[in-house]
Amino acid sequence: MRLLFIADIVGQPGRRAVTELVPRLRREHRIDVVVANGENSAGGSGITVKTAEEIFSAGVDIITSGDHLWDQKEVVQLLEHEPRFVRPLNYPAGVPGRGSTLFQSEGRPTVGILNLQGRTFMPPLDCPFHGALAEVERLRRNTKIIFVDFHAEATSEKVALARLLDGRVSAVIGTHTHVQTADEQIFPGGTAFLCDGGFTGPHESIIGREIEPVLRRFLTNAPQKFEVASGRVMLEGAIVEIDDTTGKALSIRRVSEAVAG
Ligand SMILES: [Fe+2]
Ligand SMILES: [Fe+2]
C-alpha cells in the first residue's frame, strides 16, 4: 500500500499546489491514501470548513493539524463534525476532536492515522511519548498499518519519538519547521522516518511568508503583518510504501514538486 503525505499546506498557494498536483501524484504513484497537514491552510493560519473542503475535494483523505489548530474559530465545527480531520492527540482531556482515525479505501487495508505535537520549544501539552504508546497499542487492534504526523520543532524530539515507535508503526514524518530534511530512512524495526516533510506553498519566502516583513521583524523586533508569499509554489512531503500484511515500511521517498506557472 502506498501513502502520500503532504507537509504543511500554507494558504491559497498551498491549496492550489494540492489541487493541481494531487490527482496526478495519486495516479502516477498508485497512491492508496493521502494524508495532508492543514494547520496553515487558511490564509496561512489555521483551517476553516471551506479550506478543508477544498483540500478534501483535491483528493486528500485525511487532514492533520498542529499548533495553529485554534487560529480560525470555525475549527470547532471541524473538530466536532468532521471525522476526516485529526488534531494532535496530546491535547488535554475535554478538548473536542480526535487525535487519530482509521481510514479505508475500497478493497484496501485499513490505515491508522495518528497526529501528535511536540513539547520542546512549543506550547505545553500532555506527553506525546506516553500518549503515542497507548494510542498505537489501541490502533494496532484494528491495523498494523499506522502513519504518524509528529508536529514538532526539535529534531531530537522527532527522532526520539520515531525510535520509540520503531516496529510499532509504519512511518513517522515530522512537520512544523516547514523545512524538508534529507534524512529519510527505515529503522531496523521497519518504521520509515523523515524528520520534516517541509511545506506545501510559496518557497520564494521565509517558510511561506513574505520575506520583507519577517526581515523587518528580525531587524527591529517591531510587530509586522506576515502575509503569505506567492512565488515558487511547491508541494512537499513523502511517499511511503508499506507491506500490507506486516505494516512495515518498504520504502520512503521525499516529494518536492514545483507547480507549473
Ligand atoms: Fe506549519
Ligand atoms: Fe506548526
Side-chain angles (χ1 to χ4, degrees):
M1 108 120 42
R2 288 196 186 150
L3 179 146
L4 165 65
F5 177 66
I6 300 170
D8 300 35
I9 300 166
V10 175
Q12 191 275 335
R15 302 198 306 276
R16 181 162 61 89
V18 169
T19 307
E20 287 187 21
L21 295 180
V22 169
R24 178 171 62 78
L25 288 169
R26 280 201 88 120
R27 263 196 325 274
E28 261 178 33
H29 300 278
R30 286 174 289 125
I31 301 292
D32 299 294
V33 54
V34 180
V35 180
N37 186 300
E39 71 149 8
N40 305 112
S41 58
S45 295
I47 185 164
T48 59
V49 173
K50 210 168 141 251
T51 52
E53 211 37 68
E54 197 179 325
I55 294 166
F56 287 134
S57 20
V60 170
D61 300 303
I62 301 293
I63 299 177
T64 55
S65 187
D67 56 311
H68 286 285
L69 178 67
W70 305 105
D71 291 0
Q72 304 282 342
K73 283 199 298 276
E74 296 185 21
V75 75
V76 176
Q77 286 180 51
L78 288 170
L79 288 167
E80 285 175 351
H81 305 296
E82 178 51 78
R84 298 170 294 173
F85 181 67
V86 183
R87 56 135 171 94
L89 173 86
N90 49 323
Y91 274 95
V95 168
R98 59 202 62 73
S100 74
T101 192
L102 295 170
F103 174 81
Q104 190 177 21
S105 58
E106 220 189 300
R108 305 297 294 132
T110 301
V111 189
I113 293 102
L114 169 60
N115 190 191
L116 295 158
Q117 189 171 312
R119 297 194 295 184
T120 306
F121 313 127
M122 295 192 85
L125 285 180
D126 292 349
C127 177
F129 291 85
H130 289 102
L133 285 176
E135 192 67 2
V136 164
E137 192 68 21
R138 206 180 62 82
L139 288 168
R140 282 179 70 89
R141 285 182 221 140
N142 295 293
T143 180
K144 285 180 179 164
I145 304 168
I146 298 171
F147 173 78
V148 180
D149 169 3
F150 188 26
H151 197 78
E153 180 77 47
T155 49
S156 59
E157 193 178 18
K158 294 194 225 188
V159 177
L161 182 100
R163 286 286 182 183
L164 177 72
L165 297 181
D166 182 24
R168 303 183 223 227
V169 303
S170 310
V172 177
I173 297 183
T175 52
H176 178 68
T177 71
H178 291 200
V179 176
Q180 189 175 73
T181 56
D183 60 332
E184 70 275 26
Q185 62 198 291
I186 297 175
F187 290 145
T191 296
F193 177 66
L194 175 64
C195 202
D196 206 294
F199 82 97
T200 297
H203 282 243
E204 192 52 32
S205 68
I206 294 176
I207 63 170
R209 305 301 174 133
E210 279 178 354
I211 296 166
E212 283 307 320
V214 178
L215 286 183
R216 274 200 298 278
R217 172 70 178 271
F218 276 111
L219 289 168
T220 65
N221 216 29
Q224 306 289 329
K225 199 158 195 272
F226 295 158
E227 301 284 1
V228 172
S230 55
R232 201 157 57 87
V233 179
M234 306 190 62
L235 182 148
E236 289 194 328
I239 292 172
V240 188
E241 194 182 356
I242 303 160
D243 186 288
D244 285 4
T245 33
T246 63
K248 289 181 192 300
L250 302 169
S251 70
I252 176 164
R253 179 159 25 130
R254 276 182 282 139
V255 173
S256 188
E257 291 229 10
V259 173

